[in-house]
Each structure stands twice: as structure tokens, then as C-alpha cells.
Amino acid sequence: MKSSTAGLALLAATVTGLGLTACGSDNNTGPSTTGAAAGASSSAQCGGKNTLTAEGSTAQQNAIAVFNQAWVKECPGKNLSYNPTGSGAGREQFIAGHVDFAGSDSPLSDAQVPTAADRCGGGNPAWHLPLVFGPVSMAYHLDGVDHLVLNADVLARIFSGAITTWNDPALAALNPGVELPAAPITPIYRSDSSGTTDNFQKYLSAAAPQTWTKGEGSEFQGGVGEGAQKSAGVVQAVQSTPGAIGYVEKGFADQADLRSAMIDSGAGVVAATDEAAGVAIQSANFVSEDSNDMRLDLRSLYGTKQAAAYPLVLVTYEIVCSKGYDPDTSAAVKSFLKVASTSGQDGLADAGYVRLPDQLKRRLSVAIDAIQ
């Protein structure tokens, strides 16, 4: 993932089975031959319809491209058309029955839970399956500063307007020996309804509760800075604005060769790497330990002070019906998710994401098998 911002701009609205570039159109479909008839060689069940539709999180669109390529390989003729419009839009389109499942960086809201159950055959609950994890980069544009250390308290003050210049004493204390300029800070936030925003604000609430009092949710609450649409928009805004800092998935920051700040949670400075995010993921707990609805309680993760853990991690879900699909759709959804959670994990590191821990894969397998 070494392409430029121009490469990011080439990411089109859908992901097709043609490769990892996430390019395509809403009209692209796979061949008419089913995977079974084409002689798929793996143990994946390749039944059901050839084309699935999904919509939502821009954070996971590159991971979806990896999963789709693996699905096409194991089940020739299959294809997922994924529209990366943002988590909020994805949840709405799923509830409206316009797509087979949603990709979302945030779970359904309390108000959406009953309407999602209505969509799933009249009372069947929707399940949240955590399939994609990755570090969120604090990408910055500060000429001459190759290494920058932040913590949750300073981030909370930057994104609420309490710290406004790069040579602020709080920043200087975290970066001894670094010549920070007396330049204004421009926070860049997601202006669309974004699960990345929700996760970022939950991190600030958990890790800096005395400083971040603005609240949480998919809409940015800080009240300062400049807004940008979608992950690619945040990247472009940071690139074009000297003194800017924005939260965006590490894969997108890497694509654009943006610098990413390190975070000190109290146990040492940690860079935004897949390995460090993986250490933090081990701290996450499930809301319910005995349910196939696998929503995570992320406060334990975001508040971790474990050494070598990078705590600002994005968790993205596939939101699916537990029951209520027609048989062709159910079989295809299960096929895609099974491949995504197994062989589809192999290419995630190169795309800036973290492979699922084995214990999580085992629980996902049980939930996927239970979909009807």
C-alpha cells in the first residue's frame, strides 16, 4: 500500500472480484456459473446466489477487497458489490433492506435494533460480527518533524480546541529535543456520519475522561477544526494543510505516505503498527459472552496501559440477519463470511489491518454457521 493520494482517489464506489483496487461499478456482477459448478477447490461452501450487496464503512473497504478476492478464488463466479458510503449510511441501507449486510465501525443504535429486527424477517435480531481490526493513525502534516508523540489527554485537548499551537508546553513535554514550530494546529475530522469518529471519541472518553467531555457518537462533537468526507477526504485534507492532524485508518495513511504519531498510554511510546494493535485487541471484552451477537465492549481496550499496546484501534463489524434471509442469500452470506474469517485473513497485513486472533475466529465460525 505505497500508492499516492491519486491512487486513493481511484477507489471507486464498489468492490468487485477483479482484485484489490476496490474499483468497479454498482453494475458489476460475477459470471453466471456458480462456484460449485466451476470446481472450487477449497472446503468453503459455495452455494447460494452469485452476487451479494453490502454498504457502509470506508474504513473496511480495502479489507473487503481482500476478502472478495479470496471468495472469488475459493468460489469462482461469486462476487460482493460493496459501496463504501460510511457506517451510518450502511446501517440505514441494511435496515431498509437495500443491501444484504452492512459494514459498520459502530454497532446499531438502541433505536435501530428493533427496526433491524423487523428487516430480518419480522423480529429476528441482527448480529454484529467483528471481522476487521486495524490501528487508527493520527496522521499529521508537520514539515521537519519525523517523529511525534501524543497521548490521549493531549489529543482530547487538540480536538476540543484547548491546544491550538504545535509548540504548546504539553506537546513539548511529550517530545523532548524535538523542535516543534509555533504554528497553528488544524484538527481534521470526519464530516460524514462515521464509525471511525465514534471509535475515536470512545477512545478519548475512555483514555482521557477528565479532558474529553464532548461525548461520543458517529458525529464529531469537538466543535473545532475542518471536516472532510470519508477516509480518503481526511487523508487529502491532512496532505494539503500544513499543521493539520487527523484520525484515519492506518492503511489509508500509509497509502498516502503520511506520517503517523506515536501514542504514550503510560507504559512507553508505541507506534501504530499491526503488532501493537494486536496486543491491544487482547484487552477487548464482549458485551455478552454467550451470544452470537458479538458486540465488543471497547472501553477495556481503549483504556489499556499495557506495554507495547497501541490502544487506538478500529473495530468494524459486518451486521447481518441472524434469520430471515431467503435460502440463496443465506447460503451466499455464510459462504462469504466463512472465507473472510479464514483464508481471507491472509492478505490483511499488507492492506493495513490486523489478523483475527484464533479465539475470535473460533467464535465467529460458530456464529456464521448459525445464520439462517
Side-chain angles (χ1 to χ4, degrees), residues 19 68 77 83 99 121 140 151 166 205 222 239 268-269 272 313 320 327 329:
N68 200 34
N83 194 4
V99 292
Y140 67 96
N151 61 22
W166 281 107
S205 293
Q239 281 188 317
V269 176
V313 176
V320 303
T329 301

Side-chain angles (χ1 to χ4, degrees), residues 27 55 87 108 157 172 174 178 242 244 266 278-279 308 361:
N27 295 322
E55 185 166 340
S87 296
L108 295 165
R157 289 197 272 166
L174 288 171
V178 178
V279 173
K361 288 170 65 175

Side-chain angles (χ1 to χ4, degrees), residues 34-52:
T34 65
S41 59
S42 80
S43 59
Q45 295 180 348
C46 298
K49 63 185 184 181
N50 283 345
T51 301
L52 287 173

Side-chain angles (χ1 to χ4, degrees), residues 24 28 40 60 69 75 92 118 128 136 140 163 166 183 189 194 197 249 262 274 298 338 347 369:
N28 286 334
Q60 65 172 243
Q69 187 185 55
C75 298
E92 291 172 0
D118 290 342
H128 302 78
V136 175
Y140 67 96
I163 291 178
W166 281 107
Y189 61 88
S194 163
T197 296
E249 301 74 31
M262 297 172 282
D274 298 342
L298 298 176
K338 185 70 77 172
D369 286 341

Side-chain angles (χ1 to χ4, degrees), residues 39-304:
S41 59
S42 80
S43 59
Q45 295 180 348
C46 298
K49 63 185 184 181
N50 283 345
T51 301
L52 287 173
T53 58
E55 185 166 340
S57 165
T58 62
Q60 65 172 243
Q61 69 183 87
N62 291 340
I64 291 290
V66 173
F67 298 155
N68 200 34
Q69 187 185 55
W71 195 34
V72 169
K73 182 178 179 181
E74 298 201 24
C75 298
K78 300 297 188 186
N79 179 64
L80 171 68
S81 178
Y82 183 80
N83 194 4
T85 55
S87 296
R91 295 192 299 271
E92 291 172 0
Q93 292 300 301
F94 170 72
I95 290 170
H98 296 157
V99 292
D100 298 317
F101 64 89
S104 179
D105 312 333
S106 300
L108 295 165
S109 68
D110 291 343
Q112 289 175 323
V113 168
T115 54
D118 290 342
R119 175 259 193 268
C120 294
N124 299 311
W127 288 345
H128 302 78
L129 304 183
L131 203 61
V132 181
F133 294 79
V136 175
S137 168
M138 295 310 307
Y140 67 96
H141 182 166
L142 205 56
D143 292 340
V145 179
D146 295 330
H147 301 283
L148 180 68
V149 177
L150 303 171
N151 61 22
D153 177 74
V154 165
L155 279 170
R157 289 197 272 166
I158 288 173
F159 279 84
S160 61
I163 291 178
T164 59
T165 59
W166 281 107
N167 64 344
D168 187 275
L171 279 161
L174 288 171
N175 295 275
V178 178
E179 188 174 346
L180 295 170
I185 300 174
T186 302
I188 305 295
Y189 61 88
R190 285 280 294 272
S191 58
D192 53 326
S193 180
S194 163
T196 310
T197 296
D198 189 24
N199 280 259
F200 178 60
Q201 294 182 140
K202 284 177 178 175
Y203 162 71
L204 296 179
S205 293
Q210 302 303 315
T211 310
W212 183 258
T213 59
K214 298 289 188 175
E216 303 171 3
S218 299
E219 309 295 333
F220 180 66
Q221 303 298 317
V224 298
E226 298 179 3
Q229 288 275 327
K230 303 182 182 179
S231 301
V234 171
V235 165
Q236 291 166 356
V238 173
Q239 281 188 317
S240 62
T241 309
I245 183 169
Y247 54 89
V248 68
E249 301 74 31
K250 179 177 180 288
F252 284 86
D254 288 350
Q255 279 182 313
D257 291 325
L258 286 173
R259 296 185 182 97
S260 295
M262 297 172 282
I263 290 180
D264 188 345
S265 298
V269 176
V270 182
T273 66
D274 298 342
E275 294 77 14
V279 173
I281 289 169
Q282 303 299 325
S283 303
N285 299 316
F286 292 99
V287 173
S288 175
E289 291 295 337
D290 57 356
S291 171
N292 287 329
D293 183 15
M294 297 172 60
R295 286 179 298 143
L296 290 165
D297 178 1
L298 298 176
R299 292 187 178 276
S300 55
L301 186 161
Y302 290 147
T304 185

